[in-house]
Amino acid sequence: MSITVVGSLAFDAVKTPFGERERMLGGAATHFALAASFFDEVRVVGPVGDDFGAEEMAILATRGTDTDDVEQVAGGKTFFWKGEYGWDLNSRETLDTQLNVFETFQPSLSRASQESETLFLANIQPGLQLGVLEQCEAARFTAVDSMNLWIEIAKEELLAVIGRVDCVILNDAELRQLTEAPNLVTAARQVLRLGPSVVVAKQGEYGAALVTADSFFALPAFPLETVVDPTGAGDSFAGGFVGYVAAHLDEGLTDDVLRRAMVYGTAVASHNVEEFGTERVARLERDEVEERARAIKEITHFEFENAKENV
Ligand code: AMP
């Protein structure tokens, strides 16, 4: 089975209270692919410029990710994003966004990418996401991410995308903004009524919540003392979550599968923030992911005093 991800491949400039990088590999599709590749074969679709070299391509291809549909635009420059975090790593300021090769990007997927059973539409213009959905009609599990910008300037198109996917993964603030519902559970249920069967609300350092028609589940972020750079945590979470679901599609979207997917998303994202950009997840090992998954179980498990209630 395989996963196709369409989204940004980027160079990021990031400053946090713990250091800065003037130019490092980033992008939503990059962080997603590095995380999802622990669980399934990943195919990345997106444009880059001449400045995207063999070194960046090699990181993207970590754990066998297929880069055949990465379009190198002659004379073009790769998407660039610059952001800064204060002591509260949950809030960041975007200082610069240069779309560059994304300005004229029209996704054209190879047959192999169109035939993936799982599709992740990372954060790009909703119009482009719709175009990709139309090319991937055979996908059995489709998920979408987005951001405040598109809710503000392309809400109708974004709602059209949401109406056609199985899973929506958004920040809690974006879910509220999209639905104009102040309560997170109410907002998630409103999104479920638009068509998806799963909504995941990402809550930064506070974790993530999973809402389906008849269940609710939430996990804290793994408590780390050293968080260096939160950039890409949301996409790493999505990569772990969607990657795990993709690898267990034959079991269906059961509560057990979805809850374990939440654990793996949380586990990979917690490693992502330990170092700048892709540095940590690019050399992360599967057994480290498993170890962190066990640690997440440990910190979220409890027993009732009365043994009868523990069944
Ligand atoms: P996250 O921290 O998971 O929300 O994602 C951070 C990544 O998103 C960075 O590596 C950026 O390159 C990328 N990014 C930032 N702004 C945009 C945008 N407007 N469209 C696509 N990708 C973006």
Side-chain angles (χ1 to χ4, degrees), residues 8 10 12 26-28 31 79 81 85 92 97 123 147 230-235:
S8 57
D12 291 344
H31 287 291
F79 178 94
W81 177 78
Y85 299 80
R92 73 175 168 215
T97 301
N123 170 30
M147 70 185 292
T231 308
D235 300 305

Side-chain angles (χ1 to χ4, degrees), residues 237-248:
F237 174 88
F241 180 86
V242 172
Y244 186 85
V245 171
H248 295 82

